[in-house]
Structures are given as C-alpha cells and as structure tokens.
C-alpha cells in the first residue's frame, strides 16, 4: 500500500513523518520522500536553489519521481510492503501548476500527460492544510526560505491541493494542520494502521 503525505511548506509534514517513523515501526514501513530519494534529487535541490527554467525544473522533479518509483516504490510494493512517502506526484500537480503558468498552455494537463501510463497512484493521501501566513511564520522561525515560499505562491499551491482533494475524496484525507501535533499524529497513525490492516486482509482473501 502506498501512502503519501502532502502539504505546503511549513505545514508540519516533516515532524509528522518523523513521529510516524516511531509509532508505526511495528508495521515496518518503507519511509521515503520526493525530492531526494535518489541522486537525481540532489540535482532537483540545486535547481530549486538556482531558480532555473520552470520546464527544466518540472522535468527534474519528474525524473526524480521516475527513479524513485523504479528504485524504491515499485520494489517495496512488489514485496507487499507499506510505503509512506513525504511528498509525491500531488506536489507536482500543486506546485508546478503554479510555476508552469505562462510556460506551457495548460500546466495541469501537461503534468498529467507527463505522468500518464507509468506512475503509481497513491492509495491514501494525507493533506495538511493551514493558513498560509501561519505556514510562512513557522518556516521563518525554523530558518531559511526557498523560492516557492512566498505568500502568493503558497496560497495558489494550497488551493491546487484542495482542488485535487475535492476531485478525489476517496483517496485524500484533509487534515487541519493547526491542531496539536500529537493529535494530528495520533489521527494519521490510526488511519494508516487501519488502512494497512484492511489492505493486508484483502490480499489474504
Ligand atoms: P521538500 O524538501 O519536501 O521541502 P519541505 O521539507 O520544506 O517540504 O521539497 C522542496 C521543495 O520542492 C518544496 O518547496 C516543494 C517543492 N516541490 C515541488 O515544487 N514539486 C515537486 O514535485 C516536489 C516533490 C517538491
């Protein structure tokens, strides 16, 4: 089963994933992330830092995704393991839909087409949602800001995420990221545990 965690910068994804690592250890999940599970991720980070051409940047994220799938995600799923990814394709649909404005005629259609036929869709996606100003103030408290981290950009990214979630309500679970960290963690861990157990019992049938 493939579970993904999504949200704008500063939404608390990283601390959530860190706490899931501990509390779900008995399920032996494979924890992974985009960008950065392969060496291509280093080039993506360089692209982000240097603010390169938006199409080149988008294709680097896609290249990282392809390598992530073949090196980490598909082998783990084939072994019947639970995979939990900190960011995945919805990050592209939410962020690159903004960065590709004006660069390609219909960014979402372009992005969908680039992924079509080879990507692996997540079974369950948690989307952490909070007011953009709160996300930005969390980020400034924790240090540096990257080039996507501007109020206008993050506002559009979050709107894209919410549109994706309403288009696929059976896959997305929208989580109020303003809640206490421990409460969010308990809820998400419980949902993953439940989904993993039902996926295991379905496979046994
Ligand atoms: P990440 O390292 O996950 O940042 P954070 O830990 O702050 O969430 O991702 C780096 C940036 O890359 C982040 O601003 C989101 C962006 N990003 C995209 O624009 N498209 C993508 O496909 C992915 C995976 C990330």
């Amino acid at each position: 089963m493939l579970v993904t965690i999504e949200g704008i910068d500063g939404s608390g994804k990283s601390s959530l994933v860190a706490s899931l690592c501990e509390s779900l250890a008995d399920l032996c999940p494979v924890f992974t992330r985009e960008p950065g599970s392969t060496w291509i991720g280093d080039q993506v980070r360089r692209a982000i830092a240097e603010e390169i051409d938006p199409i080149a940047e988008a294709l680097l994220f896609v290249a990282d995704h392809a390598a992530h799938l073949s090196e980490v995600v598909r082998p783990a799923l084939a072994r019947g393991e639970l995979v939990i990814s900190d960011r995945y394709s919805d990050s592209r649909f939410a962020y690159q839909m903004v960065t590709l404005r004006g660069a390609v005629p219909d960014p979402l259609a372009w992005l969908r087409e680039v992924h079509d036929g080879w990507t692996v869709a997540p079974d369950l996606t948690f989307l952490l949602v909070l007011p953009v100003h709160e996300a930005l103030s969390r980020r400034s408290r924790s240090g540096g800001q990257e080039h996507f981290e501007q109020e206008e950009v993050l506002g559009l990214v979050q709107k894209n995420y919410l549109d994706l979630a309403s288009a696929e309500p059976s896959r997305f679970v929208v989580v109020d990221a303003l809640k206490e960290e421990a409460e969010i963690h308990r809820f998400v861990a419980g949902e993953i545990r439940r989904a993993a157990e039902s996926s295991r019992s379905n496979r046994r049938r």
Side-chain angles (χ1 to χ4, degrees), residues 109-120:
W110 188 88
L111 287 160
R112 292 233 183 260
E113 207 166 321
V114 169
H115 286 80
D116 218 27
W118 58 271
T119 192
V120 176

Side-chain angles (χ1 to χ4, degrees), residues 6-14 33-36 44-45 48 57-58 60-62 64-65 86-96 99 111 115 139 146-149 154 157 161:
E6 297 280 359
I8 58 174
D9 303 77
S11 58
K13 271 182 321 85
S14 307
R33 61 174 302 158
E34 288 190 12
V44 176
R45 291 200 181 278
I48 297 172
E57 181 180 77
L60 276 172
F61 278 118
V62 174
D64 181 60
H65 180 62
D86 178 353
R87 294 198 183 282
Y88 194 75
S89 342
D90 294 305
S91 283
R92 232 111 49 238
F93 299 138
Y95 281 79
Q96 272 58 59
T99 59
L111 287 160
H115 286 80
R139 289 299 288 187
E146 287 173 343
H147 82 103
F148 301 120
E149 297 175 16
L154 288 189
V157 170
Y161 268 133

